[in-house]
Amino acid sequence: MTTPRLGASTAPAHALLRPAPPERTGIVHLGLGNFHRAHQAVHTARALAHTDGPWGILGVAGNSTSVATAMREQELRYAVLESSPAGSTATVPGVHTGALVAAHEPEAVLDAIAAPDTRIVTITVTERGYTYSPRTRSLDLDSEPVRADLRGDAPPRTTTGRIVRGLQRRMRAGSGPITVLSCDNLGGNGRQTARLVREFTAELPAPEREELQRWTDASVTFPNSMVDRIVPATTDAHRAEVRELLGVRDAVPVPAEPFSMWVLEDDFAAGRPAWERSGVLFADDVEAYELLKLRLLNGTHSLIAYLGALDGCDTIPEAIARPFIAEAADRALRADYLPTLAVPAAVDAEDYIASLFQRWANSALGHRTRQVGSDGSVKLAQRVPDPVLAHLRAGRMPQQLALTVAAYLRCLGGGADAGPHAAAMSDPARESIVDSMRRGASSKSTVDEVLGRGLLGAELAGHADFTARVAELLDLLVRHGPKAAAAAACTG
């Protein structure tokens, strides 16, 4: 007997967060990946279970058709598999009203942003998806896709281009105000998105530039947000577990930890779902929560991934179980990151740190070091430079941050010698890092060249004591391995 495919007619009622899909689209979401489907979609479904409204989500994938196609075949349903060592549960959000692929249906995406019923555009395209320069944090005007989007001779290919052209179409249609809400790990992500939109607009020809600038200033808001949930990549094991729990086939289930957090500025131009009914926190100091998460969770997560990959660990739980990695993580949290931020009044720092170690140790998730370590050239630019500079200006050497940079360079530039998990990490800067390591006469010259190109911002290369420490730790990683380098960082 064939197991039925997941859909509205087959999913067990107890698995549904909503009894029926929304009839109207109020949110267009760019980035139909696992994180959105396990985070914003779940919070929205829970909010609509309490207070109904026109807040269905039209999901838009960038280029890949796999998730959109599967969701269409499954009547826009999929399961969220929450896993912990105590067991797993599966729920079906049931909040999407459609699934598009921007590369194949560009006009439909722009029309959706311009539609009168659309009140919010949300975004999860990862840090890399904003096409900005890590060195300047401004729109990358040297990028050919950005230049093509500015010319307007074809449908837009970049996230910023799609947003601006969609807003332009909305303005011309007279569809009213709208909110653009970034849900990615960018510091001050609302302000950063607004900046990129305005930088793109400023490059347009004068007549359309001035009209769009005035309309955007009057009609579009860009609230800051902080999002937090560990969401690994989907495997066949997750599909099998969903089949066992729900009795249905699901091609695109999403694994996730039980923990989920969302903090928002309440600055919405045309209304919003009652997200507070789903556990969302509305706060004026969102950036304090952003820094807490970007540095303590994400920054330390990167260090764990790089040291773990170099020590032969496939998963984060396997890595954090190594005592030397756990010690490095603890020192990174307490000595390097925590002194550089103001902990929000509602957060107990010790409880937060304890929860991080519990989450990293969740062996049921199988979060892979290669996934966490990928795109470090963009991720670390958000997490490392500012706290490093704060310590250096105070006359302190941030040892674990230097180790993070050294371990990242070893993973990306070490080739087969760095091990299979490091070799599997994807990064737009990998080729240039490999070239620098091949040419470099020493670790010091390699570090100077890589950081001198602005890989982690414009300022770090000017601090010779920091680059020297990174080079020393890189030498130890190459010659003696991650355990020796971590020990040196802990006693440095």
Side-chain angles (χ1 to χ4, degrees):
M1 179 177 177
T2 302
T3 306
R5 183 180 290 275
L6 179 62
S9 60
T10 58
H14 67 83
L16 301 178
L17 290 180
R18 282 184 48 80
E23 295 181 0
R24 294 167 60 189
T25 296
I27 301 171
V28 173
H29 182 81
L30 306 181
L32 194 56
N34 275 16
F35 186 80
H36 158 69
R37 294 187 296 123
H39 189 270
Q40 297 90 28
V42 171
H43 280 285
T44 302
R46 287 175 177 160
L48 295 183
H50 291 285
T51 305
D52 211 349
W55 298 113
I57 301 173
L58 173 65
V60 180
N63 298 293
S64 174
T65 62
S66 57
V67 172
T69 299
M71 285 183 62
R72 289 168 180 168
E73 292 175 352
Q74 296 176 184
E75 300 180 40
L76 301 173
R77 301 297 181 96
Y78 61 91
V80 176
L81 182 69
E82 293 188 2
S83 299
S84 73
S88 298
T89 61
T91 56
V92 182
V95 76
H96 289 88
T97 57
L100 301 177
V101 180
H104 303 296
E105 302 156 290
E107 293 299 321
V109 174
L110 300 184
D111 285 343
I113 295 174
D117 279 354
T118 300
R119 309 295 179 84
I120 302 172
V121 175
T122 53
I123 315 165
T124 54
V125 292
T126 76
E127 300 93 329
R128 186 177 174 182
Y130 288 78
T131 323
Y132 73 99
S133 166
R135 182 183 182 90
T136 64
R137 300 188 182 180
S138 298
L139 187 68
D140 186 0
L141 295 174
D142 293 328
S143 163
E144 174 52 35
V146 171
R147 292 199 300 268
D149 287 358
L150 286 167
R151 290 192 301 268
D153 51 10
R157 290 184 286 163
T158 67
T159 299
T160 303
R162 287 169 184 146
I163 293 170
V164 173
R165 295 302 185 183
L167 293 178
Q168 192 173 43
R169 187 168 294 191
R170 185 178 186 87
M171 174 192 69
R172 291 170 176 169
S175 296
I178 192 169
T179 294
V180 177
L181 176 62
S182 170
C183 301
D184 282 304
N185 290 324
L186 301 172
N189 56 11
R191 289 200 320 276
Q192 177 75 339
T193 304
R195 176 182 176 181
L196 296 174
V197 165
R198 291 186 171 108
E199 287 173 349
F200 187 101
T201 303
E203 297 296 319
L204 297 174
E208 59 179 319
R209 175 182 70 231
E210 294 165 4
E211 181 185 26
L212 185 55
Q213 283 175 334
R214 286 194 300 270
W215 185 84
T216 300
D217 290 343
S219 303
V220 186
T221 58
F222 299 86
N224 287 323
S225 74
M226 186 279 276
V227 296
D228 189 1
R229 193 172 207 186
I230 295 175
V231 182
T234 303
T235 67
D236 286 340
H238 297 129
R239 296 182 181 93
E241 192 167 5
V242 167
R243 181 181 296 197
E244 180 178 347
L245 289 169
L246 299 184
V248 293
R249 289 184 297 122
D250 184 357
V252 286
V254 183
E257 64 173 334
F259 179 93
S260 184
M261 188 176 185
W262 197 2
V263 185
L264 288 169
E265 278 183 330
D266 203 354
D267 184 20
F268 289 80
R272 60 168 176 79
W275 278 317
E276 63 274 11
R277 301 296 299 272
S278 70
V280 174
L281 174 65
F282 288 89
D284 294 329
D285 59 341
V286 171
E287 286 193 71
Y289 288 91
E290 285 182 321
L291 287 179
L292 186 77
K293 190 248 182 177
L294 282 171
R295 295 180 186 178
L296 270 65
L297 171 62
N298 298 127
T300 310
H301 212 181
S302 292
L303 175 61
I304 295 166
Y306 298 134
L307 291 179
L310 293 172
D311 205 44
C313 299
D314 182 36
T315 67
I316 295 295
E318 184 183 354
I320 201 65
R322 305 283 167 95
F324 81 91
I325 296 179
E327 182 180 5
D330 189 67
R331 286 177 179 262
L333 289 165
R334 299 178 186 279
D336 286 8
Y337 282 121
L338 200 55
T340 70
L341 51 84
V343 178
V347 176
D348 181 284
E350 288 300 319
D351 288 347
Y352 186 79
I353 289 173
S355 74
L356 292 180
F357 277 94
Q358 183 178 29
R359 293 167 66 191
W360 290 326
N362 185 348
S363 56
L365 279 182
H367 205 188
R368 306 184 81 180
T369 53
R370 67 185 64 184
Q371 181 185 357
V372 177
S374 288
D375 291 333
S377 58
V378 183
K379 292 176 179 177
L380 295 185
Q382 295 288 323
R383 304 166 188 177
V384 168
D386 287 345
V388 167
L389 293 170
H391 282 290
L392 294 177
R393 289 164 185 158
R396 301 185 298 266
M397 176 58 64
Q399 297 286 341
Q400 304 308 319
L401 299 184
L403 179 62
T404 300
V405 177
Y408 162 71
L409 294 177
R410 175 61 176 154
C411 282
L412 271 292
D417 290 343
H421 309 301
M425 293 176 184
S426 62
D427 195 298
R430 178 183 282 277
E431 186 175 344
S432 64
I433 292 172
V434 169
D435 288 343
S436 295
M437 286 196 164
R438 285 173 179 164
R439 289 195 306 271
S442 65
S443 292
K444 182 65 166 65
S445 62
T446 296
V447 171
D448 286 344
E449 179 179 331
V450 170
L451 295 187
R453 290 198 300 267
L455 180 71
L456 298 180
E459 295 186 60
L460 289 188
H463 292 269
D465 50 349
F466 181 73
T467 59
R469 186 56 175 155
V470 172
E472 290 169 357
L473 293 170
L474 180 57
D475 261 336
L476 283 169
L477 287 165
V478 172
R479 297 174 187 273
H480 302 291
K483 190 171 183 177
C490 285
T491 59

